[in-house]
Amino acid sequence: MSAQPQVKELIGYSFLIGFANDHVFDARELITLDALAGSNGRVDEAEILALRTLLDRLEEQDLAMSVRLEIDQFRETNNI
């Protein structure tokens, strides 16, 4: 799978499932984003940019502390 469809998948998932269904981003949704981003064995630059944009937007949301900690770990692990 090329990078472009993968990035579109990440963005589509994040907005349709992560925000549209209940307007709350939870740990399960972060796990799914992680799986999508890493499905080709690595997180490439285009995916990092898409994830950074999403995660920056999440920083403005009221998130559970456990989810914030998982996001911080996800950012660190993937250099986001």
Side-chain angles (χ1 to χ4, degrees):
M1 179 179 286
S2 70
Q4 277 308 88
Q6 190 73 11
V7 170
K8 287 179 183 177
E9 227 177 278
L10 282 169
I11 293 169
Y13 175 81
S14 68
F15 288 101
L16 290 176
I17 303 301
F19 294 113
N21 70 342
D22 60 4
H23 302 284
V24 176
F25 193 84
D26 60 32
R28 181 182 44 111
E29 291 161 345
L30 181 61
I31 289 167
T32 302
L33 279 180
D34 187 23
L36 283 171
S39 67
N40 61 352
R42 64 182 181 84
V43 180
D44 66 31
E45 289 301 316
E47 292 166 336
I48 287 172
L49 181 59
L51 289 166
R52 183 176 294 129
T53 300
L54 167 67
L55 296 177
D56 287 350
R57 189 175 247 194
L58 287 175
E59 294 297 324
E60 301 168 6
Q61 303 295 315
D62 185 25
L63 300 172
M65 183 56 72
S66 61
V67 174
R68 283 195 184 279
L69 292 172
E70 288 186 50
I71 288 172
D72 290 345
Q73 179 62 42
F74 180 76
R75 281 183 183 268
E76 185 177 321
T77 299
N78 294 290
N79 297 315
I80 298 172

